[in-house]
Amino acid sequence: MTITYRSDIRVQPLRTSAMDFDVVQAARVSTLGADAVTSDGSTEGLINFLMRDKHGSPFEHNSMTFLIEAPIFVAREWMRHRVGWSYNEESARYRELKPVFYVPAEDRNLRQVGKAGAYRFEPGTQLQKNIVRDVIRESYRHSWNSYQVMLRAGIAREVARGVLPVGIYTSFFVTCNARSLMHFLSLRTTSELAKAPSFPQREIEMAAEQMEAHFAEQMPITYAAFNRHGRVAP
């Protein structure tokens, strides 16, 4: 197989059952009971109230499922998000992985400046960019060849996979609701609107930005309220 190098993170929406009125109906059942199903009224005003006063459960009655293609180090960071998230990932125990590896793009910042908790990233020199590209690719080639040697010798996939680096791509399904997604966005994106600063790794932020665009399209009133109130999940 020919080794492929990529610098992107792919987020593909698969199924979405999510709209602003889902939030409104869930909230109004508290006062209207079963009549909440057929009620109408101010969607924007109620959603802003719920967001502002941190009434979070009405934002859970919806669902968004995505197919993700990302390097393993992004998947492992992502799966630290547990509440309101479901995952299914391809398994290197059951299938031979494809030789697709992540290499940072030219515009990816490389130098960490400052101390832990108060640092920033800078672009780096052209020499550093060349070193990253060449060293990472050579490491991938060596790992992939070692993987193939073991597989061809009849060694089980679950053993042979041990030589593969975290930069190899994996694919997985994720399902979340608006509340869990807003919490994810508050931690995995940077925004001037955020009350609390966040310092996400760029690669997971690339995924979060695509999910945010889908969220904004499907639930525009909820998304606007999220931004208006400091990008804090209720």
Side-chain angles (χ1 to χ4, degrees):
M1 297 182 184
T2 301
I3 293 178
T4 300
Y5 302 109
R6 287 171 50 180
S7 301
D8 65 314
I9 310 296
R10 293 182 185 171
V11 176
Q12 178 184 349
L14 294 180
R15 290 179 294 276
T16 300
S17 176
M19 57 184 180
D20 293 311
F21 195 59
D22 296 334
V23 181
V24 171
Q25 284 188 320
R28 287 184 176 149
V29 75
S30 298
T31 56
L32 299 179
D35 291 336
V37 175
T38 57
S39 68
D40 55 16
S42 174
T43 299
E44 184 173 359
L46 179 52
I47 287 176
N48 271 284
F49 163 74
L50 296 170
M51 192 77 70
R52 184 195 68 206
D53 287 11
K54 303 294 184 291
H55 296 290
S57 59
F59 295 96
E60 297 176 4
H61 297 275
N62 52 80
S63 176
M64 289 168 270
T65 298
F66 303 87
L67 172 61
I68 313 298
E69 295 178 45
I72 285 177
F73 68 84
V74 171
R76 294 301 161 263
E77 186 173 12
W78 199 318
M79 291 178 188
R80 293 179 63 84
H81 294 267
R82 298 179 296 277
V83 178
W85 290 84
S86 298
Y87 300 95
N88 279 95
E89 182 182 5
E90 69 173 301
S91 173
R93 291 187 66 195
Y94 304 130
R95 70 184 301 257
E96 178 180 339
L97 295 186
K98 296 178 181 178
V100 182
F101 297 93
Y102 178 79
V103 177
E106 277 286 309
D107 60 355
R108 208 280 191 208
N109 289 341
L110 299 177
R111 295 183 65 246
Q112 182 175 322
V113 180
K115 60 183 179 180
Y119 57 82
R120 66 186 185 279
F121 284 93
E122 297 180 351
T125 66
Q126 188 58 52
L127 175 60
Q128 289 171 327
K129 293 179 181 180
N130 293 342
I131 289 173
V132 167
R133 181 195 63 223
D134 295 342
V135 171
I136 286 180
R137 288 189 177 192
E138 178 58 30
S139 176
Y140 288 157
R141 285 192 291 267
H142 180 74
S143 297
W144 181 254
N145 289 337
S146 299
Y147 181 56
Q148 291 299 302
V149 166
M150 285 192 282
L151 291 178
R152 300 303 172 256
I155 295 171
R157 288 182 293 265
E158 65 183 47
V159 176
R161 65 177 174 171
V163 300
L164 294 173
V166 294
I168 195 169
Y169 273 74
T170 185
S171 59
F172 54 102
F173 276 26
V174 299
T175 298
C176 61
N177 58 57
R179 190 183 192 184
S180 56
L181 179 56
M182 285 186 282
H183 180 255
F184 179 83
L185 296 177
S186 72
L187 295 175
R188 304 302 183 182
T189 62
T190 54
S191 173
E192 295 179 353
L193 299 174
K195 286 183 178 178
S198 182
F199 305 95
Q201 183 163 340
R202 178 55 191 154
E203 285 76 12
I204 199 168
E205 185 177 32
M206 291 161 62
E209 289 169 349
Q210 296 175 67
M211 297 181 80
E212 181 166 349
H214 182 73
F215 174 43
E217 179 182 351
Q218 298 297 317
M219 302 180 73
I221 297 175
T222 301
Y223 178 68
F226 172 60
N227 282 300
R228 184 175 296 114
H229 296 287
R231 295 175 67 86
V232 177

